[in-house]
Amino acid sequence: MEKRILVIEDYSSVSNCSLTAALPILSALGSYPVGLPTAVLSTQTAGIKGYTFVDLCDNMLPSYKHWKKLGIKFDCVYVGFLGSQKIIDSTEQILKQEKKAGTLIAIDPAMAENGKLYALFDEEYKNRIIDLCKKYADIVMPNFTEGKMLADISIDLEPNEQNARMILNILKHKGYPSVLLSGVIHRGGQGGGLLSKAGRITFAYDKHFDHNIHGAGDIFSSVFIGRLMQRASGENAMKSAVKFVKDCIEVSLKDKADLRYGLLIEKLLANIKEY
């Protein structure tokens, strides 16, 4: 039976990121994704000027309540980029109900990278996202910068495996049951992630690319969640996500794709179940 996944994040019409990445990936992996867009944008926002933005927060709870009246149930809630305090409020109301129902909740903090918060966010927003993760996440999926923030580390750290393990150990003691940490650079020039679950840390690495690639984290998290819904182990789901992202980067670079619009996932979706 297909697993039904509620995906809460923005929809950028041109760019393989957020919902435009999550929905096709989860579908191709055999799940039934239900998108709940927080906003609709003409494109993603990094390095692109003049994009349009329509806030859909007022539609979030009415949509969710309609699904509940129809008797629709979710096996997983996957939360990504939210964007405002009001959207966090609506998302939290949904998570409260789904947590009571025993639904698996996976949260990508989606608030920072390269050592700092995204320009549109402040400390109050960061603290709200951390609170959301602490209260509701069965799995939290930060990049290295976000992992530091969840661990309350303010000093600069190299994104290496030693520091990643330190972050994961701190998050374990803070009560996070499972953490998938991405953006880790391994000695020898490889990149990938580490997974902490039930006190055990595993890792997966592949080729590292020195490029600013928008949407890679969304693809990584979506493959991970999709493989978990196929009953893969966390470790195998992580390995699949690392390899799929690596192959997407390679084919996108080979085709000279404009990386502002994300990776060419369409080239590999037909074979994604083989990862």
Side-chain angles (χ1 to χ4, degrees):
M1 183 177 177
E2 291 180 334
K3 299 292 186 179
R4 196 184 299 271
I5 305 172
L6 176 58
V7 188
I8 305 175
E9 55 189 352
D10 68 283
Y11 188 97
S12 295
S13 299
V14 178
S15 304
N16 277 331
C17 64
S18 300
L19 282 176
T20 40
L23 298 183
I25 287 172
L26 294 172
S27 293
L29 285 170
S31 291
Y32 189 112
V34 176
L36 183 57
T38 58
V40 172
L41 295 84
S42 55
T43 66
Q44 63 91 6
T45 62
I48 300 176
K49 296 181 179 180
Y51 56 85
T52 65
F53 176 95
V54 179
D55 189 319
L56 297 180
C57 185
D58 290 342
N59 185 58
M60 291 176 63
L61 290 177
S63 293
Y64 178 74
K65 290 175 182 177
H66 183 222
W67 297 328
K68 293 293 101 177
K69 286 181 180 179
L70 294 174
I72 293 173
K73 297 180 180 179
F74 300 104
D75 298 287
C76 174
V77 179
Y78 167 19
V79 178
F81 185 91
L82 296 179
S84 74
Q85 299 281 356
K86 187 178 177 183
I87 292 171
I88 293 175
D89 291 340
S90 295
T91 300
E92 184 164 17
Q93 290 189 53
I94 294 170
L95 294 183
K96 281 181 181 178
Q97 295 191 49
E98 293 299 319
K99 191 75 171 178
K100 289 179 182 178
T103 306
L104 179 72
I105 296 175
I107 302 179
D108 178 346
M111 60 180 175
E113 63 182 344
N114 299 323
K116 59 184 179 181
L117 287 169
Y118 295 142
L120 64 163
F121 297 148
D122 56 18
E123 287 294 309
E124 184 179 0
Y125 182 89
K126 181 191 79 172
N127 292 334
R128 287 292 310 279
I129 291 294
I130 292 174
D131 187 60
L132 205 69
C133 291
K134 283 183 178 178
K135 285 182 178 178
Y136 303 104
D138 298 299
I139 303 168
V140 64
M141 304 177 291
N143 59 35
F144 190 84
T145 295
E146 292 159 348
K148 281 179 49 185
M149 292 177 177
L150 293 176
D152 197 24
I153 297 173
S154 58
I155 62 173
D156 290 336
L157 291 176
E158 290 294 322
N160 57 39
E161 184 176 322
Q162 180 180 358
N163 288 331
R165 287 178 178 273
M166 177 183 67
I167 289 170
L168 291 178
N169 284 323
I170 291 172
L171 294 179
K172 173 192 169 185
H173 289 295
K174 284 181 173 287
Y176 289 92
S178 185
V179 181
L180 177 67
L181 184 66
S182 61
V184 181
I185 308 301
H186 187 52
R187 58 182 178 277
Q190 291 186 312
L194 280 79
L195 174 68
S196 173
K197 183 177 181 181
R200 178 171 177 260
I201 296 176
T202 55
F203 58 86
Y205 293 113
D206 213 312
K207 185 177 178 181
H208 173 65
F209 299 86
D210 191 18
H211 294 273
N212 186 16
I213 301 171
H214 188 80
D218 297 326
I219 296 168
F220 182 80
S221 297
S222 297
V223 175
F224 178 77
I225 294 300
R227 290 282 284 120
L228 283 185
M229 294 296 101
Q230 291 181 318
R231 299 188 181 280
S233 68
E235 183 177 1
N236 286 335
M238 174 176 59
K239 289 178 179 177
S240 296
V242 167
K243 189 174 190 310
F244 186 77
V245 171
K246 187 270 293 185
D247 287 353
C248 284
I249 294 172
E250 286 189 334
V251 75
S252 299
L253 293 175
K254 181 180 178 181
D255 285 12
K256 295 181 170 58
D258 187 337
L259 298 181
R260 294 178 303 167
Y261 302 137
L263 299 173
L264 302 179
I265 61 174
E266 299 85 356
K267 301 276 187 176
L268 298 171
L269 276 179
N271 299 317
I272 194 170
K273 288 186 178 180
E274 299 174 9
Y275 281 82

